[in-house]
């Protein structure tokens, strides 16, 4: 019943009630891993062709047959579930491979009673196995008789199979062992999708007789691929070979941060039951007391029906767009802060939000008459069930990420407030918190969180550990019957939630809490005094910040200044660039937040992998080696001029210091100096802010002496300096553990920078992540660094470390480290010379 070459109406191959794939009692089919399609619970004993076509495969065991329709669609007709195990008993195939069949022709006959008695279910499937080229929409979800219209199939790629690049191109295949810890769960699946999307070719993973397109995280997870399993990869298209090699590399490279994130928490044993105590599983350590606050899940109102289908589709699209914007915002901030765990988790959320399996199911439910909230909710629930049935604890935990998206999209659809109001110091109890809940609660200053469900390797657990928020999971349903307001003790290390602590116990916990607070307070007080070494050398400990709010926190924590303001915070998450006035106001706010302390403001460092919607830069083969940092002056000089004008209008200018990213030669610095002079003259500004350069490429470190002649100060960006010195992508998941700035090659560059700067009497700071590593403090001080710009929460700790050092001894021992052969050797030596407290 072909309407034209692209559209096809498939007729029912069997008679019986029709089901959506999601409701098939088989995790693999229901996940869509085999492809999109439909199911029938058959009442007759013969399977018929749903259209004209050619038989391209018949199962050896006679329970399934695949046809190629005239529009190129490949249709798997699978009789019953797990019927392969019957080994052909009860089936008789009526056609052979290569046969031409017509719509309605009998294909296979089976013994209905016999098969029904011996298999898991008779529910039979019609699945489009090359569904990436087609869109399938059921025509009915009621009962059908053989030959009645069942499904509408539309080719989405031009000409179906005939002229799309994918089908015209060659297909290449490869085989690889999965290195990812815990198998192919959400984050590695999102990485596979990301890799596949860099190419024009269409790629699939094949495992255990099943396949999934690499552009669906749900489909990939639905394959339930375990760690060390062998998978096949196929790619078809003009760049198939390159796509295949990239995918093989992604699949065979374990995520370093995954290993690190999973490592710190050992699976605790459960303790014997105790009255008034709920036993749970440690997700993030700590001991706290406080009032219990129950958080409920979002309630879905009844679906009253009678919807305008088009309006519901639109409503869903808008809500998805809103949530995806919110997630992108979280992602941008995680990237700016360099929080790789948070970034990977929300990257996976974004990929799930765009997942064709979830979206198709939701839109299908709308077509069937459901409102957008119910349609979305059903689609998510169906996939949660799939994940829970796959027999992998890790994948089952990932259902929580789907629930996060369920909740977020429902909130957007129902216009509910996105934040709860929980008092600081509370202990929050919930069935299961989602990653975005956790970020909100942590920002509100809650003391701890506990959940009836959840696991220690879930994304919420990873985030809780990152935020230092005590967290227990799997406390059981009893948690949800507890009243809000009662004072409880959360002993995460002991796996206990004490519901009725005695006054004595409460006093002890509160004492421990206050001792901890007192220690921090002492540290805080000391943090406000300058850090001097034992031989009385002042080391400035400043903070890396990305907004005026963070600057205020840094000052409260004792920062001697801002060592790095990443101005990208002003430019991301928006559709137009901030104008001069807005920029000036934002920089002034940071200066004002810092009292009388100096603030180093870095000019915008976008380009490379940090692209802005409103700043289209040419696509580059190697973006990190392209137009990024100060090189923007070459591509978009007016943008940099605008930023310099805004900076020149801040007051007082002696506290505002300008830092240039990615400088490689003296001329770049001289050019910006000239621009500063010209712009200051235009604005009638007499003073000049100090102008410094970042040392973050080896060329700059090697030219430090020449740069120092013209710069007011140098600041070492160890993140990029590691990347460019070691030739290892700083964001490469598989190399993360090896991109270590304590590598002796970097130490040599740092030493050379300090020596070069000293020749002109210039100070050297470090604003990369190495400055926040207490193990590195003595080495940096020993090599001549006199300013450390660290994350605001670590100011007290780094200052305390400085106070135990002697610069002369540090210099002698650090000089020896330059002769070691690896970062690991340097780390070992540091532990020996300067043990951490
Ligand atoms: C660095 O490269 O070390 C640095 C501080 O800059 P960013 O991390 O913003 O690239
Ligand atoms: Mg950098």
């Amino acid at each position: 019943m072909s309407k034209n070459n692209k559209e096809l109406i498939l007729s029912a191959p069997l008679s019986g009630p029709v089901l959506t794939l999601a409701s098939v009692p088989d995790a693999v089919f229901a996940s869509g891993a085999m492809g999109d399609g439909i199911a029938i619970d058959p009442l007759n004993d013969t399977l018929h062709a749903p259209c004209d076509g050619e038989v391209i495969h018949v199962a050896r065991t006679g329970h399934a047959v695949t046809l190629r329709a005239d529009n190129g669609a490949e249709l798997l007709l699978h009789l019953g579930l797990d019927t392969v195990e019957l080994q052909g008993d009860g089936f008789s195939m009526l056609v052979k491979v290569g046969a031409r069949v017509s719509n309605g022709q009998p294909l296979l006959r089976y013994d209905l009673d016999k098969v029904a008695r011996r298999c898991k279910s008779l529910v039979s499937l019609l699945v489009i196995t090359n569904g990436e080229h087609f869109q399938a929409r059921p025509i009915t979800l009621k009962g059908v008789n053989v030959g009645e219209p069942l499904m509408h199939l539309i080719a989405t790629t031009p000409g179906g199979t005939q002229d799309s690049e994918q089908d015209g191109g060659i297909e290449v295949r490869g085989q690889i062992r999965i290195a990812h810890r815990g198998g192919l769960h959400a984050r590695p699946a999102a990485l596979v999708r990301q890799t596949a999307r860099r190419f024009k070719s269409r790629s699939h993973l094949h495992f255990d007789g099943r396949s999934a397109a690499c552009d669906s995280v749900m489909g990939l997870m639905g394959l339930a691929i375990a760690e060390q399993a062998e998978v096949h990869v196929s790619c078809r298209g003009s760049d198939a070979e390159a796509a295949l090699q990239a995918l093989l590399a992604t699949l065979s490279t374990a995520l370093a941060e995954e290993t690190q994130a999973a490592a710190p928490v050992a699976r605790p044993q459960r303790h014997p039951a105790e009255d008034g105590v709920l036993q749970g599983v440690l997700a993030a350590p700590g001991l706290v007391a406080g009032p219990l606050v129950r958080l409920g899940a979002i309630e879905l109102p009844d679906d009253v029906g009678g919807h305008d289908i088009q309006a519901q589709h639109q409503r869903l699209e808008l809500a998805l767009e809103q949530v995806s914007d919110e997630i992108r915002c979280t992602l941008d901030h995680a990237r700016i802060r360099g929080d790789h765990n948070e970034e990977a988790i929300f990257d996976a959320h974004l990929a799930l939000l765009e997942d064709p399996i979830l979206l198709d199911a939701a839109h299908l439910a709308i077509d069937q008459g459901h409102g957008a909230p119910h349609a979305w909710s059903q689609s998510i629930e169906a996939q949660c069930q799939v994940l829970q049935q796959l027999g992998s604890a890790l994948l089952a935990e990932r259902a929580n990420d789907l629930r996060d998206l369920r909740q977020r999209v429902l909130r957007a659809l129902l216009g509910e407030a996105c934040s709860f109001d929980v008092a600081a110091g509370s202990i929050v109890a919930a069935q299961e918190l989602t990653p975005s809940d956790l970020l909100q609660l942590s920002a509100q200053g809650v003391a701890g969180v506990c959940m009836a469900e959840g696991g220690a390797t879930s994304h919420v657990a990873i985030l809780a550990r990152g935020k230092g928020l005590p967290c227990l999971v799997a406390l059981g349903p009893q948690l949800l019957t507890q009243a809000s307001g009662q004072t409880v003790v959360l002993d995460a290390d002991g796996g206990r939630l004490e519901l009725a602590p005695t006054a004595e116990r409460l006093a002890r916990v509160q004492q421990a809490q206050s001792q901890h607070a007192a220690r921090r307070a002492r540290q805080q007080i000391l943090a406000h005094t300058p850090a001097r070494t034992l031989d009385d050398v002042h080391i400035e400990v400043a903070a890396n910040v990305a907004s005026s709010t963070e600057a205020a926190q840094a000052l409260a924590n004792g920062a001697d200044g801002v060592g790095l303001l990443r101005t990208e915070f002003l430019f991301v998450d928006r559709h137009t660039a901030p104008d001069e006035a807005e920029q000036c106001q934002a920089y002034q706010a940071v200066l004002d937040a810092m009292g009388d302390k100096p603030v180093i403001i870095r000019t915008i460092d976008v380009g490379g992998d940090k692209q802005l919607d409103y700043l289209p830069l040419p696509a580059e083969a190697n973006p990190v080696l392209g137009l990024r940092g100060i090189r923007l002056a070459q591509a978009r000089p007016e943008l940099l001029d605008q930023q310099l004008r805004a900076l020149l209008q801040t007051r007082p200018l002696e506290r505002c210091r300008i830092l240039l990213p990615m400088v490689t030669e003296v001329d770049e610095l001289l050019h910006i100096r000239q621009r500063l002079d010209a712009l200051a003259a235009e604005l009638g500004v007499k003073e000049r802010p100090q102008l410094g350069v970042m040392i973050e490429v080896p060329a700059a470190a090697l030219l430090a002496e020449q740069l120092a002649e013209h710069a007011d100060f140098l600041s070492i960006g160890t993140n990029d300096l590691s990347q460019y010195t070691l030739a290892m992508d700083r964001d490469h998941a598989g190399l993360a553990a090896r991109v270590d700035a304590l590598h002796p090659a970097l130490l040599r560059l740092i030493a050379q920078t300090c020596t070069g700067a000293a020749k002109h009497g210039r100070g050297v700071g470090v604003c990369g992540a190495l400055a926040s590593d207490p193990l590195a403090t003595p080495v940096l001080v020993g090599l001549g660094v006199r300013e450390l710009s660290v994350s605001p929460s670590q100011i007290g700790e780094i200052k305390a470390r400085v106070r135990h050092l002697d610069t002369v001894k540090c210099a002698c021992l650090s000089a020896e480290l330059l002769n070691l052969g690896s970062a690991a050797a340097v780390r070992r030596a540091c532990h020996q010379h300067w043990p951490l407290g």
Side-chain angles (χ1 to χ4, degrees), residues 215-497:
D215 63 2
S216 166
V217 171
M218 278 312 312
L220 293 172
M221 285 201 288
L223 294 178
I225 303 174
E227 186 175 344
Q228 293 304 315
E230 289 252 319
V231 296
H232 284 87
V233 186
S234 67
C235 305
R236 182 184 281 277
S238 56
D239 53 2
E241 189 56 52
L244 178 68
Q245 291 314 322
L247 283 167
L248 294 179
T250 301
L251 290 163
S252 59
T253 312
L255 300 178
E257 80 262 14
E258 194 178 39
T259 322
Q260 288 156 8
V265 173
R267 286 264 177 195
Q269 315 115 22
R270 290 207 177 247
H271 300 277
E274 223 180 302
D275 271 355
V277 174
L278 297 182
Q279 303 283 346
V281 171
L282 166 66
L287 172 67
V288 283
L292 194 74
V293 173
R294 278 265 294 112
L295 276 192
I298 192 161
E299 297 285 338
L300 201 56
D302 287 343
D303 195 344
V304 287
H307 303 290
D308 171 344
I309 291 183
Q310 223 30 52
Q312 295 301 316
H313 282 303
Q314 233 172 27
R315 215 178 137 201
L316 180 61
E317 286 302 333
L318 281 177
L320 290 168
E321 217 170 286
Q322 178 185 329
V323 174
S324 126
D325 284 349
E326 286 165 16
I327 298 178
R328 274 180 224 282
C329 175
T330 308
L331 263 176
D332 284 336
H333 286 280
R335 261 181 214 133
I336 291 172
R337 288 200 319 276
D339 189 333
H340 291 307
N341 278 332
E342 199 171 306
E343 191 184 332
I345 290 169
F346 287 97
D347 246 337
H349 280 207
L350 202 57
L352 284 171
L353 202 64
E354 294 168 356
D355 199 283
I357 292 176
L358 284 175
L359 298 182
D360 287 355
H363 283 293
L364 177 61
I366 290 178
D367 285 343
Q368 288 160 5
H370 294 287
H374 282 263
W376 179 247
S377 195
Q378 277 175 23
S379 163
I380 293 271
E381 280 313 320
Q383 293 309 318
C384 285
Q385 275 178 23
V386 168
L387 289 179
Q388 275 153 353
Q389 286 166 10
L390 289 172
S392 151
L394 200 66
L395 288 176
E397 276 177 0
R398 296 304 176 253
N400 189 30
D401 293 275
L402 287 180
R403 283 193 207 104
D404 194 340
L405 295 174
R406 173 183 180 270
Q407 240 164 274
R408 290 182 84 148
V409 174
L410 285 183
R411 283 197 189 112
L413 280 167
L414 302 173
E416 284 206 13
C418 287
S419 53
F420 354 90
D421 218 356
V422 179
S426 310
I427 293 179
V428 172
Q431 173 142 2
E432 191 169 13
L433 293 165
T434 67
S436 55
D437 293 339
L438 193 108
L439 291 193
Q440 265 188 48
L441 292 169
S442 156
Q444 287 176 3
V446 304
V449 293
C450 40
M451 298 175 229
E453 295 178 3
T457 51
S458 67
H459 287 160
V460 181
I462 294 173
L463 290 175
R465 289 197 286 276
K467 303 280 174 203
L469 197 60
C471 174
L472 273 186
V473 293
L475 284 150
Q478 240 190 303
L479 175 69
L480 306 175
T481 61
Q482 304 306 315
S484 280
Q486 59 178 321
T487 301
V488 295
V489 167
L490 173 63
D491 173 8
D493 308 76
R496 298 154 51 90
L497 180 70

Side-chain angles (χ1 to χ4, degrees), residues 27-52:
V28 175
F29 281 118
S31 74
M34 300 287 282
D36 204 356
I38 201 152
I40 295 178
D41 200 357
L43 301 171
N44 61 326
D45 66 358
T46 307
L47 177 82
H48 299 257
C51 59
D52 297 342

